Every structure is written in C-alpha cells, then in structure tokens.
Amino acid sequence: TQFNKNEYMISVFDNSKIAKVDIQAYNMTTKKFKYNNIGLMDIKNIQGDKDIFLLSSEGKALICNTDKIGVKSNRNVLGNIGIKLNEGFKVVAAIINVTKDDRFTIHTEKGKEIFIMLDDVSSNESKNWFNHLQGRAGNQGSFLYNTRSKNDLITNVEVD
C-alpha cells in the first residue's frame, strides 16, 4: 500500500486525549489493528493538518489544530491532552476536520437543545465561535454553554 507524506490517523478519546499517528505505523500486514481503549469518540485518516472541535460535558469547547499535536510513530500511544478537563467531566463531542460552516445541536441532561453555528454572523450579538474557540491543545477552552449556572450537563451533540 502506498501512503502519502503527512498522512495520519487521528483518534480522540472521551478523556480528552488526542493521538496523531503516522500512517506508516499501520503498514504492518502481519498485525491486526485493534483499539483496546474504550471512550473512542472519533477516528479519521487525514492528510495534512485539520481542526478538531472538542466539547466537554461541562460545556467548555475548544478548536485545536492537529499541527499542535505531536506525531507518534507507534499506534499504541496514549496521545496528548486536547482540552483540559475539570474533575468529573469528559469529552462528549469530538469533530475531526471541523469547519466554520459546521452547525450542530447540543443536548443537555434537562432536555435543552442549543443550536450552534460556528461562524454565526447573522447579528452583532452573535459570536463567531470558530474564531473564539481557536486555541492550543491542552488549554481550558471557553464555555459554549455554561452548565454551572444552569446546573445542567451536556450529554451529546448532533451534527446538522
């Protein structure tokens, strides 16, 4: 199999770890690929670097680029921290190769649905979330929905 330069497998886990593995690590025909890590949120084959959207159950979000994640040559790595999680929270959504045009609905424990457009320019009060959430891997992120003031946790995200 011929692989391209700058081709990676990106894996995101609910503990906020992101693994960026050189695709050459998967070029072993004698070994079967198997993920033993529970909590796998998303996995994609990418070429070049892409943006990853992360959202915690606490309501904090971050968009980090895979150029900030160290490349590993071994597929059995733990990965780097994507978004710093406060104790008791986990990643509930991970979208690899997110774009400013993406739209989704956040669902909470209390049944709320919050519609989010990452590049909402429809009014002066709207935030351009795509730019606002840009950060580096390992930072706290920003509240997309403040679950503390609402006493409500985010359960999942539906991409529209």
Side-chain angles (χ1 to χ4, degrees), residues 3-55:
F3 294 107
N4 296 316
K5 187 177 179 181
N6 297 324
E7 189 172 352
Y8 311 101
M9 287 300 288
I10 301 290
S11 307
V12 183
F13 301 91
D14 66 0
N15 66 358
S16 183
K17 297 282 186 168
I18 301 174
K20 178 180 178 181
V21 179
D22 189 306
I23 198 69
Q24 295 297 330
Y26 294 90
N27 195 17
M28 299 178 191
T29 55
T30 58
K31 292 187 178 180
K32 194 174 188 181
F33 171 66
K34 183 171 128 185
Y35 253 107
N36 292 325
N37 194 330
I38 55 173
L40 180 65
M41 300 297 298
D42 199 3
I43 184 170
K44 278 202 173 70
N45 175 283
I46 65 168
Q47 287 187 13
D49 287 304
K50 307 292 182 203
D51 286 319
I52 301 174
F53 172 83
L54 301 168
L55 180 64

Side-chain angles (χ1 to χ4, degrees), residues 34-130:
K34 183 171 128 185
Y35 253 107
N36 292 325
N37 194 330
I38 55 173
L40 180 65
M41 300 297 298
D42 199 3
I43 184 170
K44 278 202 173 70
N45 175 283
I46 65 168
Q47 287 187 13
D49 287 304
K50 307 292 182 203
D51 286 319
I52 301 174
F53 172 83
L54 301 168
L55 180 64
S56 74
S57 54
E58 183 181 21
K60 288 186 176 181
L62 175 72
I63 295 174
C64 63
N65 194 281
T66 56
D67 70 349
K68 308 287 190 269
I69 308 293
V71 179
K72 309 295 182 192
S73 57
N74 181 335
R75 60 187 180 176
N76 296 322
V77 296
L78 297 175
N80 300 81
I81 295 289
I83 184 173
K84 286 185 183 171
L85 297 171
N86 289 321
E87 191 172 327
F89 299 105
K90 65 181 182 176
V91 171
V92 293
I95 303 169
I96 299 171
N97 198 20
V98 69
T99 70
K100 65 183 175 91
D101 298 322
D102 285 340
R103 300 164 183 213
F104 45 87
T105 304
I106 296 171
H107 299 273
T108 73
E109 283 182 331
K110 292 183 176 178
K112 273 197 103 155
E113 292 185 351
I114 302 103
F115 180 70
I116 300 289
M117 294 179 5
L118 286 181
D119 192 17
D120 188 355
V121 292
S122 59
S123 75
N124 290 338
E125 288 138 28
S126 297
K127 273 196 176 168
N128 181 325
W129 287 110
F130 192 80

